[in-house]
Amino acid sequence: MKLYKKSAYELSEMLRSKQCSAVELLSEVMCRAKEVQPELNAYISFNENAFKSAEKADILIARGGDIPPLCGIPVAVKDNISTKGLRTTCASRMLENYIPPYSATAVELLEAAGAVIVGKTNMDEFAMGSASDTGIFGAVKNPADAFYSAGGSSGGSAAVVASGGAVLALGSDTGGSVRQPASFCGAVGFCPSYGAVSRYGLIAFASSLDRIGVIGRNVRDTELLHNIINAADNKDVTKNPKKFPRSLNGSLSGLRIGIPKELFCESISEEVKTAVMNAVKLMESSGAVVKEIRLPSASAAVKSYYIISSAEASSNLARYDGVHYGYRAENCSSPADMFRKSRTEGFGDEVKRRIMLGTFVLSEGCFDMYYKRAAALRQKLCSEFDEIFRECDIIAAPVYPEAGIPLGVQKKPAEIYAADICTVPSSLAGLPAISVPCGRALNGLPIGLQLIGRRYNDETVFSAAYGYELAGGVYDG
């Protein structure tokens, strides 16, 4: 088997036993990434210093001693996560030539662990989208079928892992942006509890929702990467100061799994429902206890999510005005004209749509009617989850209503937003959630099973997913 097809755990052992070197591994992964790049369009840029990092990893491994498990492993990074000296664009004209003077805490932790940054992955502009097709670099295509999207907004990260263009990848998840593309591409995508991973260096979309997530080929690899970036950081005030313990025992015996009726609604296709329920039955046959539960506010969660996230986006993106950094329009007659032209030309349609929506719901006369009601519903949703987790350990649900999004099919924004019904409830509540492959649709694309846990019970989510994997869950890519 080619090196780029192997898991992080296998490669880590091979590096330590001198069966291959970090330079050899990176060379093969880089070649694979560039081989599929013309078809998938998954990378925005490659790291010119990657081979220097691989050489350092080889020297560290040769010295022996206590070597971090990710030392020498090629990892891709979504292009809204800051990397010092390496262009970080958010797939936007606004930041097309931006080179950060610092790295995100998650990237610093990876580099300290000896991981090799392969490059920056393509995405939806400022992480706003569901198909990685709103950015200026074009759509990311699905490795399983290039006529379909890789998903969004972390489509590039999912595509490179699934295709062998990286062993692991960092993404960001605001309302499902790690889980959904992982589901579409047949990878494992984990969104941690809000506060479990530092957001320092993650370019903001919606600050109360944004999280850095991880994508791998199996549960153990994904947990390994998350465990590296789950560390205390005083640069992020929302970061929980403790490092959460990890225990992948994989036991499903007695695990209480809740099935929310509202997340298996009419909008979910029958083949997705069938694949997810077959996965739940497999877990039940291994000792899990399954029961139906209710999440009444789920149907209104999408509306609440888009009001809150757009309001925060409108505030966060106000800094891009053509003055301090970023795109600046030419031939402007006044400062006000420069602000207007720079933002009009620098942002794409989806970003402008959400800025306008966010500005509207925050305006006088609309704040009480929209934003305050959305915030109240968010609190109600959190209370409903609290009630559920008194009688359940895990919630099982689909990731997305359909198996894939065909490229080039035009849909109304409201229809696209409504399809996030399965992922945004847990995002609003700050809960950990994972997507694991559970089958394939008739069109040949993978389908994901979503497992959601109580906040800061990230280890329970990983253990449940690992138990599903051990029980014979589908991992055929």
Side-chain angles (χ1 to χ4, degrees):
M1 182 185 291
K2 295 183 181 295
L3 292 177
Y4 66 77
K5 293 184 177 181
K6 294 184 179 295
S7 71
Y9 266 92
E10 290 176 304
L11 292 169
S12 182
E13 180 58 34
M14 290 178 69
L15 288 168
R16 279 149 190 74
S17 61
K18 307 300 190 297
Q19 295 179 56
C20 70
S21 69
V23 170
E24 290 170 341
L25 172 58
L26 176 62
S27 179
E28 189 167 318
V29 168
M30 191 75 86
C31 285
R32 174 62 178 174
K34 292 182 177 180
E35 176 188 353
V36 299
Q37 175 65 11
E39 180 179 20
L40 301 184
N41 192 34
Y43 276 104
I44 288 177
S45 58
F46 289 98
N47 181 12
E48 296 179 355
N49 295 316
F51 280 98
K52 291 182 180 179
S53 298
E55 290 170 359
K56 291 179 181 178
D58 279 330
I59 293 172
L60 188 62
I61 292 170
R63 289 174 181 168
D66 186 16
I67 308 299
L70 280 186
C71 187
I73 302 297
V75 180
V77 177
K78 187 176 178 180
D79 208 35
N80 63 341
I81 301 173
S82 297
T83 42
K84 184 177 181 179
L86 184 58
R87 191 170 64 137
T88 301
T89 71
C90 286
S92 177
R93 190 179 186 187
M94 187 63 76
L95 292 176
E96 187 174 3
N97 299 307
Y98 174 60
I99 299 177
Y102 68 97
S103 286
T105 296
V107 172
E108 289 182 343
L109 290 168
L110 282 179
E111 291 177 334
V116 179
I117 306 301
V118 182
K120 306 300 291 294
T121 58
N122 203 352
M123 55 181 285
D124 282 302
E125 185 180 11
F126 280 99
M128 299 180 194
S130 299
S132 291
D133 61 354
T134 66
I136 62 170
F137 299 103
V140 183
K141 298 177 182 178
N142 196 312
D145 187 335
F147 289 100
Y148 284 81
S149 164
S153 63
S154 303
S157 291
V160 299
V161 170
S163 64
V167 178
L168 296 163
L170 293 184
S172 69
D173 195 308
T174 305
S177 292
V178 161
R179 291 161 282 166
Q180 185 247 44
S183 172
F184 284 1
C185 294
V188 175
F190 178 69
C191 172
S193 294
Y194 185 83
V197 174
S198 172
R199 292 185 301 109
Y200 180 76
L202 171 64
I203 296 176
F205 161 16
S207 302
S208 74
L209 295 158
D210 294 341
R211 282 168 270 178
I212 293 179
V214 294
I215 298 175
R217 292 181 194 145
N218 57 55
V219 175
R220 292 181 73 204
D221 281 7
T222 309
E223 188 268 350
L224 180 65
L225 177 55
H226 173 68
N227 205 29
I228 295 294
I229 63 173
N230 168 217
D233 180 23
N234 58 16
K235 296 190 290 292
D236 179 7
V237 296
T238 64
K239 173 71 180 76
N240 190 296
K242 76 170 186 174
K243 186 176 176 70
F244 309 115
R246 304 289 171 222
S247 177
L248 282 185
N249 57 43
S251 174
L252 297 177
S253 180
L255 183 76
R256 300 171 299 171
I257 302 177
I259 307 297
K261 180 180 179 181
E262 292 79 5
L263 299 187
F264 287 83
C265 56
E266 292 180 358
S267 65
I268 312 299
S269 70
E270 287 302 318
E271 60 182 353
V272 169
K273 289 180 184 177
T274 299
V276 171
M277 287 311 300
N278 284 342
V280 172
K281 290 175 183 177
L282 179 62
M283 297 176 78
E284 188 176 25
S285 68
S286 296
V289 179
V290 179
K291 64 179 298 183
E292 188 173 293
I293 58 173
R294 298 301 305 273
L295 190 63
S297 297
S299 60
V302 171
K303 298 174 185 177
S304 175
Y305 168 80
Y306 276 99
I307 289 172
I308 292 171
S309 64
S310 296
E312 294 183 10
S314 119
S315 175
N316 281 324
L317 271 62
R319 72 193 72 179
Y320 303 110
D321 55 11
V323 177
H324 296 96
Y325 59 90
Y327 177 80
R328 177 184 291 185
E330 298 179 351
N331 302 318
C332 303
S333 59
S334 66
D337 187 43
M338 182 191 69
F339 297 156
R340 182 173 59 254
K341 284 186 177 179
S342 295
R343 290 172 67 79
T344 299
E345 297 172 11
F347 290 132
D349 290 344
E350 182 61 28
V351 174
K352 285 187 279 192
R353 184 181 295 117
R354 299 201 196 193
I355 289 174
M356 288 190 291
L357 173 60
T359 303
F360 171 75
V361 300
L362 291 176
S363 64
E364 185 178 359
C366 295
F367 182 80
D368 288 350
M369 184 182 297
Y370 295 105
Y371 187 82
K372 286 184 70 174
R373 290 173 67 186
L377 189 138
R378 184 181 194 177
Q379 286 300 114
K380 184 179 179 183
L381 186 66
C382 290
S383 297
E384 290 175 10
F385 274 118
D386 288 341
E387 288 296 321
I388 288 172
F389 287 120
R390 288 189 176 94
E391 54 184 275
C392 296
D393 302 305
I394 288 289
I395 296 171
V399 176
Y400 197 77
E402 302 286 343
I405 299 175
L407 288 169
V409 175
Q410 297 297 317
K411 286 188 177 183
K412 296 179 180 178
E415 294 175 338
I416 297 171
Y417 300 163
D420 292 335
I421 185 172
C422 296
T423 52
V424 299
S426 61
S427 294
L428 284 169
L431 307 179
I434 196 169
S435 170
V436 291
C438 67
R440 284 184 180 267
L442 292 176
N443 60 12
L445 294 182
I447 296 172
L449 161 70
Q450 182 178 201
L451 299 175
I452 304 166
R454 183 186 293 109
R455 189 170 181 184
Y456 297 143
N457 254 21
D458 299 43
E459 69 275 10
T460 301
V461 175
F462 272 121
S463 287
Y466 187 48
Y468 169 70
E469 182 176 274
L470 295 177
V474 179
Y475 286 87
D476 62 354

mmCIF file of all heavy atoms in Angstrom, residues 32 96 106 111 126 137 193 197 210 311 430:
data_model
loop_
_atom_site.group_PDB
_atom_site.id
_atom_site.type_symbol
_atom_site.label_atom_id
_atom_site.label_comp_id
_atom_site.label_asym_id
_atom_site.label_seq_id
_atom_site.Cartn_x
_atom_site.Cartn_y
_atom_site.Cartn_z
ATOM 1 N N ARG A 32 1.084 13.142 -4.483
ATOM 2 C CA ARG A 32 -0.325 12.776 -4.608
ATOM 3 C C ARG A 32 -1.208 14.022 -4.600
ATOM 4 O O ARG A 32 -2.146 14.122 -5.402
ATOM 5 C CB ARG A 32 -0.712 11.840 -3.453
ATOM 6 C CG ARG A 32 -2.192 11.488 -3.384
ATOM 7 C CD ARG A 32 -2.661 10.757 -4.623
ATOM 8 N NE ARG A 32 -4.067 10.384 -4.509
ATOM 9 C CZ ARG A 32 -4.772 9.844 -5.490
ATOM 10 N NH1 ARG A 32 -4.206 9.628 -6.677
ATOM 11 N NH2 ARG A 32 -6.049 9.531 -5.309
ATOM 12 N N GLU A 96 -6.663 38.162 -0.315
ATOM 13 C CA GLU A 96 -5.989 37.338 -1.313
ATOM 14 C C GLU A 96 -4.475 37.306 -1.151
ATOM 15 O O GLU A 96 -3.827 36.285 -1.412
ATOM 16 C CB GLU A 96 -6.354 37.836 -2.710
ATOM 17 C CG GLU A 96 -5.846 36.956 -3.827
ATOM 18 C CD GLU A 96 -6.350 37.400 -5.192
ATOM 19 O OE1 GLU A 96 -7.050 38.441 -5.258
ATOM 20 O OE2 GLU A 96 -6.043 36.716 -6.182
ATOM 21 N N ALA A 106 -3.342 26.552 17.421
ATOM 22 C CA ALA A 106 -3.452 25.153 16.957
ATOM 23 C C ALA A 106 -2.300 24.805 16.028
ATOM 24 O O ALA A 106 -1.747 23.695 16.095
ATOM 25 C CB ALA A 106 -4.791 24.941 16.253
ATOM 26 N N GLU A 111 3.151 22.277 15.015
ATOM 27 C CA GLU A 111 4.563 22.407 14.660
ATOM 28 C C GLU A 111 5.459 22.005 15.826
ATOM 29 O O GLU A 111 6.518 21.384 15.621
ATOM 30 C CB GLU A 111 4.847 23.839 14.218
ATOM 31 C CG GLU A 111 4.182 24.182 12.889
ATOM 32 C CD GLU A 111 4.385 25.616 12.453
ATOM 33 O OE1 GLU A 111 4.592 26.478 13.345
ATOM 34 O OE2 GLU A 111 4.345 25.890 11.240
ATOM 35 N N PHE A 126 -14.639 33.106 3.685
ATOM 36 C CA PHE A 126 -14.815 33.387 5.110
ATOM 37 C C PHE A 126 -15.668 32.314 5.798
ATOM 38 O O PHE A 126 -16.390 32.587 6.752
ATOM 39 C CB PHE A 126 -15.411 34.784 5.333
ATOM 40 C CG PHE A 126 -14.394 35.876 5.233
ATOM 41 C CD1 PHE A 126 -14.261 36.605 4.059
ATOM 42 C CD2 PHE A 126 -13.547 36.172 6.296
ATOM 43 C CE1 PHE A 126 -13.301 37.610 3.947
ATOM 44 C CE2 PHE A 126 -12.595 37.169 6.203
ATOM 45 C CZ PHE A 126 -12.471 37.891 5.019
ATOM 46 N N PHE A 137 -11.368 31.030 -5.492
ATOM 47 C CA PHE A 137 -10.495 30.052 -6.148
ATOM 48 C C PHE A 137 -11.266 28.905 -6.792
ATOM 49 O O PHE A 137 -10.676 27.934 -7.244
ATOM 50 C CB PHE A 137 -9.484 29.501 -5.138
ATOM 51 C CG PHE A 137 -8.588 30.565 -4.564
ATOM 52 C CD1 PHE A 137 -8.797 31.051 -3.283
ATOM 53 C CD2 PHE A 137 -7.566 31.112 -5.315
ATOM 54 C CE1 PHE A 137 -7.987 32.034 -2.743
ATOM 55 C CE2 PHE A 137 -6.749 32.107 -4.793
ATOM 56 C CZ PHE A 137 -6.956 32.575 -3.510
ATOM 57 N N SER A 193 -16.085 20.507 21.642
ATOM 58 C CA SER A 193 -16.864 21.416 22.481
ATOM 59 C C SER A 193 -16.339 22.830 22.298
ATOM 60 O O SER A 193 -15.134 23.046 22.119
ATOM 61 C CB SER A 193 -16.729 21.040 23.958
ATOM 62 O OG SER A 193 -17.300 19.785 24.233
ATOM 63 N N VAL A 197 -10.719 23.882 22.159
ATOM 64 C CA VAL A 197 -9.553 24.212 21.332
ATOM 65 C C VAL A 197 -9.477 25.735 21.194
ATOM 66 O O VAL A 197 -10.493 26.391 20.942
ATOM 67 C CB VAL A 197 -9.659 23.560 19.933
ATOM 68 C CG1 VAL A 197 -8.514 24.025 19.038
ATOM 69 C CG2 VAL A 197 -9.666 22.039 20.041
ATOM 70 N N ASP A 210 -17.703 29.658 16.219
ATOM 71 C CA ASP A 210 -16.524 29.132 15.514
ATOM 72 C C ASP A 210 -15.710 28.182 16.382
ATOM 73 O O ASP A 210 -15.453 28.472 17.559
ATOM 74 C CB ASP A 210 -15.600 30.279 15.087
ATOM 75 C CG ASP A 210 -16.215 31.185 14.050
ATOM 76 O OD1 ASP A 210 -17.173 30.775 13.391
ATOM 77 O OD2 ASP A 210 -15.716 32.327 13.899
ATOM 78 N N ALA A 311 -25.310 38.118 12.400
ATOM 79 C CA ALA A 311 -25.081 39.308 13.225
ATOM 80 C C ALA A 311 -23.614 39.396 13.644
ATOM 81 O O ALA A 311 -22.989 40.473 13.570
ATOM 82 C CB ALA A 311 -25.986 39.272 14.453
ATOM 83 N N GLY A 430 -22.921 24.542 21.597
ATOM 84 C CA GLY A 430 -21.491 24.376 21.886
ATOM 85 C C GLY A 430 -21.085 22.946 22.185
ATOM 86 O O GLY A 430 -20.111 22.701 22.893
#
